[in-house]
Amino acid sequence: MMHPVITYVQGPPLQDLYRAFMDGFSDYMIRFDMNEARFESVFLVRDQNQPTRSVVAYADGRPVAVMLSGVAHLDTGWVTRCGGLAVAPDYRHLGIAHELMRQFDEQATGMRLLEVIQGNEPALALYERLGYRVVREIMYFQSVPTVTNATREQVPIRELFDAYYPAAGHKPIWQVDVRTTQQQTELVRVSEGETSGALLFRENLLLDVFGRDEDAEWLLRAAAAEGPIRLTLTSDRPALLMAARHLGFVQDEIAQFEMSKPGMET
């Protein structure tokens, strides 16, 4: 069987981004069951993958692979993220993923960033060959019921940008950083006596925690006291990880590596 002729289009139609995404991830560890409108809402609007920066590979006019990409300017400089890379099962091992990543690197500005599910060895090997290195682990938890004496007060979201982000001693991952994504969020200040902190929610998902390491368990108790929540934690915040496990929060089987590669500013 002859290899098909593969062509690549940057800024393809939305329907081709969607078709290539769904075919490419059809046998993935995580099942994506969504229509085109939901795909656009989550991966393009919320996660700020920009169609003009994304690329679809075609074989005989059929979209068979996709690379989603977004770019943002943070206090550390420009960051360009690969927000999804997938090749349809029948078109793998033809060099398509490598070429999509080459095009991603070629058009990227500043630091290159991506995530890969732990256990996806082919993807991990590809990214390592291309010069990406693991920065930290990303883990997901489900809370259990907690009790707290802390009071909660919703505060204007501008305080997140004016006070909490500038003073934070940690760097949020792209998917939960309101500076890189478009999300409807709620910022809640929690306090008890002289102890205080802040929690950033999107509905029942705890996006971020702002406070002292020694208050980590108190903060998570306050976060989960009004009902079950899901939360994303990273390996560079060991106090929160220890607190979540001590409280009995249930960790998902799926975890990721965040990987990065330095790039030249332009």
mmCIF file of all heavy atoms in Angstrom, residues 202-247:
data_model
loop_
_atom_site.group_PDB
_atom_site.id
_atom_site.type_symbol
_atom_site.label_atom_id
_atom_site.label_comp_id
_atom_site.label_asym_id
_atom_site.label_seq_id
_atom_site.Cartn_x
_atom_site.Cartn_y
_atom_site.Cartn_z
ATOM 1 N N ARG A 202 -14.287 27.356 39.424
ATOM 2 C CA ARG A 202 -15.173 27.352 38.257
ATOM 3 C C ARG A 202 -16.227 26.300 38.548
ATOM 4 O O ARG A 202 -15.967 25.107 38.452
ATOM 5 C CB ARG A 202 -14.425 27.004 36.964
ATOM 6 C CG ARG A 202 -15.328 27.109 35.716
ATOM 7 C CD ARG A 202 -14.594 26.771 34.432
ATOM 8 N NE ARG A 202 -14.367 25.336 34.303
ATOM 9 C CZ ARG A 202 -13.198 24.776 34.018
ATOM 10 N NH1 ARG A 202 -12.136 25.531 33.861
ATOM 11 N NH2 ARG A 202 -13.077 23.473 33.900
ATOM 12 N N GLU A 203 -17.399 26.771 38.990
ATOM 13 C CA GLU A 203 -18.463 25.891 39.473
ATOM 14 C C GLU A 203 -17.894 25.027 40.600
ATOM 15 O O GLU A 203 -17.417 25.560 41.593
ATOM 16 C CB GLU A 203 -19.048 25.084 38.303
ATOM 17 C CG GLU A 203 -19.688 25.981 37.253
ATOM 18 C CD GLU A 203 -20.214 25.237 36.060
ATOM 19 O OE1 GLU A 203 -19.839 24.058 35.856
ATOM 20 O OE2 GLU A 203 -21.020 25.833 35.306
ATOM 21 N N ASN A 204 -17.920 23.688 40.482
ATOM 22 C CA ASN A 204 -17.423 22.849 41.569
ATOM 23 C C ASN A 204 -15.982 22.399 41.353
ATOM 24 O O ASN A 204 -15.509 21.467 42.004
ATOM 25 C CB ASN A 204 -18.323 21.619 41.754
ATOM 26 C CG ASN A 204 -18.196 20.626 40.615
ATOM 27 O OD1 ASN A 204 -17.859 21.013 39.495
ATOM 28 N ND2 ASN A 204 -18.463 19.359 40.886
ATOM 29 N N LEU A 205 -15.274 23.065 40.458
ATOM 30 C CA LEU A 205 -13.867 22.763 40.202
ATOM 31 C C LEU A 205 -13.003 23.819 40.893
ATOM 32 O O LEU A 205 -13.143 25.019 40.622
ATOM 33 C CB LEU A 205 -13.579 22.760 38.703
ATOM 34 C CG LEU A 205 -12.132 22.499 38.280
ATOM 35 C CD1 LEU A 205 -11.688 21.110 38.707
ATOM 36 C CD2 LEU A 205 -11.976 22.662 36.778
ATOM 37 N N LEU A 206 -12.145 23.389 41.801
ATOM 38 C CA LEU A 206 -11.217 24.298 42.471
ATOM 39 C C LEU A 206 -10.004 24.490 41.564
ATOM 40 O O LEU A 206 -9.196 23.588 41.384
ATOM 41 C CB LEU A 206 -10.795 23.717 43.823
ATOM 42 C CG LEU A 206 -9.810 24.551 44.644
ATOM 43 C CD1 LEU A 206 -10.401 25.907 45.006
ATOM 44 C CD2 LEU A 206 -9.390 23.795 45.909
ATOM 45 N N LEU A 207 -9.902 25.685 40.991
ATOM 46 C CA LEU A 207 -8.845 25.975 40.037
ATOM 47 C C LEU A 207 -7.527 26.312 40.714
ATOM 48 O O LEU A 207 -6.449 25.931 40.238
ATOM 49 C CB LEU A 207 -9.248 27.147 39.132
ATOM 50 C CG LEU A 207 -10.479 26.948 38.254
ATOM 51 C CD1 LEU A 207 -10.790 28.239 37.508
ATOM 52 C CD2 LEU A 207 -10.285 25.808 37.272
ATOM 53 N N ASP A 208 -7.589 27.058 41.822
ATOM 54 C CA ASP A 208 -6.347 27.513 42.441
ATOM 55 C C ASP A 208 -6.584 27.826 43.911
ATOM 56 O O ASP A 208 -7.714 28.088 44.343
ATOM 57 C CB ASP A 208 -5.806 28.752 41.723
ATOM 58 C CG ASP A 208 -4.276 28.811 41.719
ATOM 59 O OD1 ASP A 208 -3.665 28.196 42.622
ATOM 60 O OD2 ASP A 208 -3.704 29.470 40.837
ATOM 61 N N VAL A 209 -5.488 27.805 44.660
ATOM 62 C CA VAL A 209 -5.496 28.076 46.092
ATOM 63 C C VAL A 209 -4.399 29.084 46.388
ATOM 64 O O VAL A 209 -3.253 28.919 45.953
ATOM 65 C CB VAL A 209 -5.245 26.779 46.899
ATOM 66 C CG1 VAL A 209 -5.195 27.089 48.390
ATOM 67 C CG2 VAL A 209 -6.315 25.736 46.585
ATOM 68 N N PHE A 210 -4.740 30.130 47.130
ATOM 69 C CA PHE A 210 -3.786 31.167 47.497
ATOM 70 C C PHE A 210 -3.721 31.252 49.022
ATOM 71 O O PHE A 210 -4.722 31.538 49.677
ATOM 72 C CB PHE A 210 -4.200 32.515 46.910
ATOM 73 C CG PHE A 210 -4.338 32.499 45.408
ATOM 74 C CD1 PHE A 210 -5.564 32.204 44.817
ATOM 75 C CD2 PHE A 210 -3.244 32.739 44.597
ATOM 76 C CE1 PHE A 210 -5.694 32.177 43.438
ATOM 77 C CE2 PHE A 210 -3.362 32.706 43.212
ATOM 78 C CZ PHE A 210 -4.591 32.423 42.628
ATOM 79 N N GLY A 211 -2.554 30.982 49.556
ATOM 80 C CA GLY A 211 -2.380 31.020 50.998
ATOM 81 C C GLY A 211 -1.059 30.393 51.389
ATOM 82 O O GLY A 211 -0.283 29.944 50.547
ATOM 83 N N ARG A 212 -0.802 30.334 52.691
ATOM 84 C CA ARG A 212 0.461 29.819 53.200
ATOM 85 C C ARG A 212 0.465 28.289 53.159
ATOM 86 O O ARG A 212 -0.571 27.647 53.331
ATOM 87 C CB ARG A 212 0.690 30.286 54.630
ATOM 88 C CG ARG A 212 0.703 31.808 54.800
ATOM 89 C CD ARG A 212 1.008 32.195 56.238
ATOM 90 N NE ARG A 212 0.071 31.537 57.190
ATOM 91 C CZ ARG A 212 0.181 31.627 58.508
ATOM 92 N NH1 ARG A 212 1.160 32.330 59.048
ATOM 93 N NH2 ARG A 212 -0.706 31.020 59.292
ATOM 94 N N ASP A 213 1.654 27.710 52.959
ATOM 95 C CA ASP A 213 1.775 26.257 52.938
ATOM 96 C C ASP A 213 1.290 25.640 54.244
ATOM 97 O O ASP A 213 0.662 24.572 54.243
ATOM 98 C CB ASP A 213 3.228 25.846 52.693
ATOM 99 C CG ASP A 213 3.650 26.008 51.235
ATOM 100 O OD1 ASP A 213 2.777 26.275 50.391
ATOM 101 O OD2 ASP A 213 4.857 25.878 50.944
ATOM 102 N N GLU A 214 1.574 26.288 55.370
ATOM 103 C CA GLU A 214 1.183 25.729 56.654
ATOM 104 C C GLU A 214 -0.330 25.728 56.859
ATOM 105 O O GLU A 214 -0.849 25.059 57.767
ATOM 106 C CB GLU A 214 1.855 26.474 57.817
ATOM 107 C CG GLU A 214 1.679 27.979 57.790
ATOM 108 C CD GLU A 214 2.848 28.701 57.143
ATOM 109 O OE1 GLU A 214 3.348 28.235 56.092
ATOM 110 O OE2 GLU A 214 3.260 29.738 57.710
ATOM 111 N N ASP A 215 -1.053 26.457 55.996
ATOM 112 C CA ASP A 215 -2.513 26.492 56.079
ATOM 113 C C ASP A 215 -3.162 25.620 55.006
ATOM 114 O O ASP A 215 -4.383 25.707 54.793
ATOM 115 C CB ASP A 215 -3.019 27.931 55.922
ATOM 116 C CG ASP A 215 -2.509 28.857 57.006
ATOM 117 O OD1 ASP A 215 -2.323 28.381 58.146
ATOM 118 O OD2 ASP A 215 -2.286 30.055 56.713
ATOM 119 N N ALA A 216 -2.390 24.764 54.333
ATOM 120 C CA ALA A 216 -2.890 24.020 53.179
ATOM 121 C C ALA A 216 -4.110 23.166 53.538
ATOM 122 O O ALA A 216 -5.129 23.175 52.823
ATOM 123 C CB ALA A 216 -1.780 23.150 52.593
ATOM 124 N N GLU A 217 -4.036 22.421 54.637
ATOM 125 C CA GLU A 217 -5.172 21.561 54.993
ATOM 126 C C GLU A 217 -6.384 22.395 55.380
ATOM 127 O O GLU A 217 -7.523 22.068 55.019
ATOM 128 C CB GLU A 217 -4.775 20.611 56.123
ATOM 129 C CG GLU A 217 -5.846 19.579 56.419
ATOM 130 C CD GLU A 217 -5.376 18.466 57.326
ATOM 131 O OE1 GLU A 217 -4.180 18.078 57.237
ATOM 132 O OE2 GLU A 217 -6.210 17.965 58.121
ATOM 133 N N TRP A 218 -6.174 23.481 56.107
ATOM 134 C CA TRP A 218 -7.268 24.380 56.464
ATOM 135 C C TRP A 218 -7.940 24.941 55.208
ATOM 136 O O TRP A 218 -9.178 25.010 55.123
ATOM 137 C CB TRP A 218 -6.718 25.501 57.340
ATOM 138 C CG TRP A 218 -7.704 26.576 57.680
ATOM 139 C CD1 TRP A 218 -8.637 26.551 58.678
ATOM 140 C CD2 TRP A 218 -7.864 27.833 57.008
ATOM 141 N NE1 TRP A 218 -9.367 27.722 58.678
ATOM 142 C CE2 TRP A 218 -8.910 28.521 57.661
ATOM 143 C CE3 TRP A 218 -7.210 28.441 55.934
ATOM 144 C CZ2 TRP A 218 -9.327 29.792 57.264
ATOM 145 C CZ3 TRP A 218 -7.619 29.705 55.533
ATOM 146 C CH2 TRP A 218 -8.669 30.369 56.193
ATOM 147 N N LEU A 219 -7.150 25.313 54.235
ATOM 148 C CA LEU A 219 -7.684 25.860 52.986
ATOM 149 C C LEU A 219 -8.510 24.825 52.223
ATOM 150 O O LEU A 219 -9.594 25.130 51.697
ATOM 151 C CB LEU A 219 -6.544 26.374 52.106
ATOM 152 C CG LEU A 219 -5.890 27.689 52.557
ATOM 153 C CD1 LEU A 219 -4.505 27.835 51.939
ATOM 154 C CD2 LEU A 219 -6.767 28.880 52.172
ATOM 155 N N LEU A 220 -8.031 23.598 52.141
ATOM 156 C CA LEU A 220 -8.775 22.560 51.425
ATOM 157 C C LEU A 220 -10.034 22.164 52.181
ATOM 158 O O LEU A 220 -11.060 21.840 51.569
ATOM 159 C CB LEU A 220 -7.890 21.345 51.169
ATOM 160 C CG LEU A 220 -6.740 21.555 50.177
ATOM 161 C CD1 LEU A 220 -6.045 20.232 49.880
ATOM 162 C CD2 LEU A 220 -7.205 22.203 48.878
ATOM 163 N N ARG A 221 -9.980 22.183 53.517
ATOM 164 C CA ARG A 221 -11.204 21.944 54.284
ATOM 165 C C ARG A 221 -12.251 23.007 53.955
ATOM 166 O O ARG A 221 -13.431 22.707 53.746
ATOM 167 C CB ARG A 221 -10.904 21.978 55.785
ATOM 168 C CG ARG A 221 -10.240 20.731 56.342
ATOM 169 C CD ARG A 221 -10.105 20.834 57.862
ATOM 170 N NE ARG A 221 -9.437 19.672 58.402
ATOM 171 C CZ ARG A 221 -10.038 18.542 58.699
ATOM 172 N NH1 ARG A 221 -11.343 18.430 58.498
ATOM 173 N NH2 ARG A 221 -9.353 17.525 59.199
ATOM 174 N N ALA A 222 -11.818 24.258 53.906
ATOM 175 C CA ALA A 222 -12.737 25.352 53.588
ATOM 176 C C ALA A 222 -13.278 25.222 52.170
ATOM 177 O O ALA A 222 -14.450 25.507 51.906
ATOM 178 C CB ALA A 222 -12.032 26.693 53.764
ATOM 179 N N ALA A 223 -12.443 24.767 51.248
ATOM 180 C CA ALA A 223 -12.866 24.648 49.850
ATOM 181 C C ALA A 223 -13.955 23.605 49.675
ATOM 182 O O ALA A 223 -14.875 23.778 48.859
ATOM 183 C CB ALA A 223 -11.659 24.306 48.983
ATOM 184 N N ALA A 224 -13.862 22.499 50.420
ATOM 185 C CA ALA A 224 -14.782 21.375 50.200
ATOM 186 C C ALA A 224 -15.944 21.342 51.177
ATOM 187 O O ALA A 224 -16.798 20.450 51.088
ATOM 188 C CB ALA A 224 -14.000 20.070 50.300
ATOM 189 N N ALA A 225 -16.032 22.297 52.099
ATOM 190 C CA ALA A 225 -17.022 22.228 53.173
ATOM 191 C C ALA A 225 -18.455 22.431 52.693
ATOM 192 O O ALA A 225 -19.390 21.959 53.347
ATOM 193 C CB ALA A 225 -16.692 23.255 54.256
ATOM 194 N N GLU A 226 -18.635 23.109 51.546
ATOM 195 C CA GLU A 226 -20.002 23.388 51.097
ATOM 196 C C GLU A 226 -20.483 22.413 50.031
ATOM 197 O O GLU A 226 -21.530 22.608 49.426
ATOM 198 C CB GLU A 226 -20.085 24.824 50.574
ATOM 199 C CG GLU A 226 -19.902 25.866 51.669
ATOM 200 C CD GLU A 226 -20.290 27.255 51.229
ATOM 201 O OE1 GLU A 226 -20.643 27.435 50.046
ATOM 202 O OE2 GLU A 226 -20.241 28.167 52.067
ATOM 203 N N GLY A 227 -19.743 21.359 49.805
ATOM 204 C CA GLY A 227 -20.161 20.358 48.823
ATOM 205 C C GLY A 227 -18.958 19.770 48.114
ATOM 206 O O GLY A 227 -17.851 20.312 48.207
ATOM 207 N N PRO A 228 -19.147 18.658 47.403
ATOM 208 C CA PRO A 228 -18.017 17.998 46.741
ATOM 209 C C PRO A 228 -17.407 18.878 45.654
ATOM 210 O O PRO A 228 -18.113 19.579 44.932
ATOM 211 C CB PRO A 228 -18.637 16.731 46.150
ATOM 212 C CG PRO A 228 -20.100 17.037 46.039
ATOM 213 C CD PRO A 228 -20.416 17.955 47.173
ATOM 214 N N ILE A 229 -16.107 18.843 45.573
ATOM 215 C CA ILE A 229 -15.377 19.593 44.551
ATOM 216 C C ILE A 229 -14.362 18.678 43.872
ATOM 217 O O ILE A 229 -13.998 17.623 44.404
ATOM 218 C CB ILE A 229 -14.624 20.806 45.149
ATOM 219 C CG1 ILE A 229 -13.609 20.349 46.223
ATOM 220 C CG2 ILE A 229 -15.591 21.832 45.710
ATOM 221 C CD1 ILE A 229 -12.652 21.430 46.667
ATOM 222 N N ARG A 230 -13.947 19.075 42.702
ATOM 223 C CA ARG A 230 -12.806 18.476 42.041
ATOM 224 C C ARG A 230 -11.682 19.497 42.070
ATOM 225 O O ARG A 230 -11.935 20.710 42.079
ATOM 226 C CB ARG A 230 -13.134 18.087 40.598
ATOM 227 C CG ARG A 230 -14.200 16.987 40.518
ATOM 228 C CD ARG A 230 -14.361 16.464 39.107
ATOM 229 N NE ARG A 230 -13.109 15.904 38.604
ATOM 230 C CZ ARG A 230 -12.651 14.690 38.915
ATOM 231 N NH1 ARG A 230 -13.324 13.921 39.735
ATOM 232 N NH2 ARG A 230 -11.519 14.253 38.412
ATOM 233 N N LEU A 231 -10.453 19.028 42.108
ATOM 234 C CA LEU A 231 -9.334 19.953 42.147
ATOM 235 C C LEU A 231 -8.143 19.387 41.386
ATOM 236 O O LEU A 231 -7.973 18.174 41.270
ATOM 237 C CB LEU A 231 -8.938 20.284 43.581
ATOM 238 C CG LEU A 231 -8.550 19.159 44.536
ATOM 239 C CD1 LEU A 231 -7.654 19.706 45.651
ATOM 240 C CD2 LEU A 231 -9.810 18.558 45.180
ATOM 241 N N THR A 232 -7.354 20.314 40.857
ATOM 242 C CA THR A 232 -6.142 19.993 40.121
ATOM 243 C C THR A 232 -4.951 20.451 40.948
ATOM 244 O O THR A 232 -4.885 21.609 41.353
ATOM 245 C CB THR A 232 -6.122 20.714 38.763
ATOM 246 O OG1 THR A 232 -7.290 20.346 38.014
ATOM 247 C CG2 THR A 232 -4.884 20.333 37.965
ATOM 248 N N LEU A 233 -4.023 19.544 41.218
ATOM 249 C CA LEU A 233 -2.843 19.867 42.004
ATOM 250 C C LEU A 233 -1.593 19.464 41.242
ATOM 251 O O LEU A 233 -1.630 18.533 40.430
ATOM 252 C CB LEU A 233 -2.879 19.156 43.361
ATOM 253 C CG LEU A 233 -4.043 19.519 44.283
ATOM 254 C CD1 LEU A 233 -4.018 18.663 45.541
ATOM 255 C CD2 LEU A 233 -4.018 21.002 44.643
ATOM 256 N N THR A 234 -0.500 20.158 41.514
ATOM 257 C CA THR A 234 0.759 19.885 40.823
ATOM 258 C C THR A 234 1.843 19.507 41.822
ATOM 259 O O THR A 234 1.792 19.878 42.991
ATOM 260 C CB THR A 234 1.203 21.113 40.009
ATOM 261 O OG1 THR A 234 1.159 22.280 40.850
ATOM 262 C CG2 THR A 234 0.297 21.328 38.808
ATOM 263 N N SER A 235 2.824 18.772 41.325
ATOM 264 C CA SER A 235 3.859 18.222 42.194
ATOM 265 C C SER A 235 4.764 19.282 42.804
ATOM 266 O O SER A 235 5.496 18.995 43.749
ATOM 267 C CB SER A 235 4.704 17.210 41.416
ATOM 268 O OG SER A 235 5.258 17.806 40.253
ATOM 269 N N ASP A 236 4.734 20.516 42.278
ATOM 270 C CA ASP A 236 5.553 21.581 42.860
ATOM 271 C C ASP A 236 4.829 22.308 43.996
ATOM 272 O O ASP A 236 5.323 23.328 44.484
ATOM 273 C CB ASP A 236 5.993 22.580 41.781
ATOM 274 C CG ASP A 236 4.824 23.189 41.020
ATOM 275 O OD1 ASP A 236 3.700 22.643 41.104
ATOM 276 O OD2 ASP A 236 5.034 24.196 40.324
ATOM 277 N N ARG A 237 3.680 21.773 44.421
ATOM 278 C CA ARG A 237 2.974 22.310 45.593
ATOM 279 C C ARG A 237 2.756 21.164 46.586
ATOM 280 O O ARG A 237 1.626 20.729 46.843
ATOM 281 C CB ARG A 237 1.657 22.970 45.186
ATOM 282 C CG ARG A 237 1.837 24.080 44.154
ATOM 283 C CD ARG A 237 0.585 24.898 43.960
ATOM 284 N NE ARG A 237 0.353 25.788 45.096
ATOM 285 C CZ ARG A 237 -0.725 26.568 45.218
ATOM 286 N NH1 ARG A 237 -1.656 26.560 44.265
ATOM 287 N NH2 ARG A 237 -0.885 27.346 46.264
ATOM 288 N N PRO A 238 3.839 20.666 47.173
ATOM 289 C CA PRO A 238 3.750 19.464 48.014
ATOM 290 C C PRO A 238 2.869 19.632 49.241
ATOM 291 O O PRO A 238 2.272 18.652 49.709
ATOM 292 C CB PRO A 238 5.211 19.189 48.398
ATOM 293 C CG PRO A 238 5.921 20.500 48.222
ATOM 294 C CD PRO A 238 5.235 21.161 47.072
ATOM 295 N N ALA A 239 2.769 20.836 49.788
ATOM 296 C CA ALA A 239 1.936 21.029 50.972
ATOM 297 C C ALA A 239 0.468 20.747 50.656
ATOM 298 O O ALA A 239 -0.247 20.120 51.462
ATOM 299 C CB ALA A 239 2.100 22.452 51.505
ATOM 300 N N LEU A 240 -0.014 21.203 49.493
ATOM 301 C CA LEU A 240 -1.395 20.939 49.106
ATOM 302 C C LEU A 240 -1.611 19.463 48.797
ATOM 303 O O LEU A 240 -2.653 18.892 49.144
ATOM 304 C CB LEU A 240 -1.774 21.800 47.901
ATOM 305 C CG LEU A 240 -2.057 23.273 48.177
ATOM 306 C CD1 LEU A 240 -2.262 24.037 46.880
ATOM 307 C CD2 LEU A 240 -3.283 23.432 49.080
ATOM 308 N N LEU A 241 -0.644 18.833 48.142
ATOM 309 C CA LEU A 241 -0.757 17.402 47.862
ATOM 310 C C LEU A 241 -0.850 16.609 49.159
ATOM 311 O O LEU A 241 -1.692 15.708 49.301
ATOM 312 C CB LEU A 241 0.444 16.926 47.048
ATOM 313 C CG LEU A 241 0.400 17.133 45.544
ATOM 314 C CD1 LEU A 241 1.742 16.764 44.925
ATOM 315 C CD2 LEU A 241 -0.712 16.295 44.918
ATOM 316 N N MET A 242 0.012 16.924 50.111
ATOM 317 C CA MET A 242 0.000 16.222 51.388
ATOM 318 C C MET A 242 -1.326 16.440 52.112
ATOM 319 O O MET A 242 -1.898 15.507 52.690
ATOM 320 C CB MET A 242 1.162 16.703 52.255
ATOM 321 C CG MET A 242 1.328 15.931 53.559
ATOM 322 S SD MET A 242 2.729 16.546 54.546
ATOM 323 C CE MET A 242 4.080 16.277 53.386
ATOM 324 N N ALA A 243 -1.826 17.679 52.051
ATOM 325 C CA ALA A 243 -3.089 17.989 52.718
ATOM 326 C C ALA A 243 -4.249 17.228 52.086
ATOM 327 O O ALA A 243 -5.108 16.684 52.783
ATOM 328 C CB ALA A 243 -3.348 19.495 52.661
ATOM 329 N N ALA A 244 -4.304 17.178 50.753
ATOM 330 C CA ALA A 244 -5.383 16.468 50.062
ATOM 331 C C ALA A 244 -5.386 14.992 50.444
ATOM 332 O O ALA A 244 -6.443 14.393 50.700
ATOM 333 C CB ALA A 244 -5.242 16.645 48.556
ATOM 334 N N ARG A 245 -4.221 14.404 50.492
ATOM 335 C CA ARG A 245 -4.137 12.977 50.829
ATOM 336 C C ARG A 245 -4.464 12.738 52.297
ATOM 337 O O ARG A 245 -5.108 11.744 52.643
ATOM 338 C CB ARG A 245 -2.751 12.463 50.459
ATOM 339 C CG ARG A 245 -2.565 12.368 48.938
ATOM 340 C CD ARG A 245 -1.139 12.150 48.520
ATOM 341 N NE ARG A 245 -1.051 11.965 47.054
ATOM 342 C CZ ARG A 245 0.010 12.234 46.325
ATOM 343 N NH1 ARG A 245 1.115 12.717 46.902
ATOM 344 N NH2 ARG A 245 -0.005 12.031 45.029
ATOM 345 N N HIS A 246 -4.037 13.652 53.169
ATOM 346 C CA HIS A 246 -4.338 13.507 54.592
ATOM 347 C C HIS A 246 -5.838 13.618 54.853
ATOM 348 O O HIS A 246 -6.379 12.938 55.749
ATOM 349 C CB HIS A 246 -3.585 14.563 55.400
ATOM 350 C CG HIS A 246 -3.698 14.382 56.881
ATOM 351 N ND1 HIS A 246 -4.536 15.144 57.671
ATOM 352 C CD2 HIS A 246 -3.089 13.507 57.730
ATOM 353 C CE1 HIS A 246 -4.437 14.756 58.926
ATOM 354 N NE2 HIS A 246 -3.555 13.767 59.003
ATOM 355 N N LEU A 247 -6.523 14.440 54.076
ATOM 356 C CA LEU A 247 -7.964 14.592 54.210
ATOM 357 C C LEU A 247 -8.745 13.442 53.583
ATOM 358 O O LEU A 247 -9.966 13.353 53.749
ATOM 359 C CB LEU A 247 -8.418 15.915 53.582
ATOM 360 C CG LEU A 247 -8.026 17.192 54.324
ATOM 361 C CD1 LEU A 247 -8.258 18.417 53.447
ATOM 362 C CD2 LEU A 247 -8.795 17.314 55.639
#
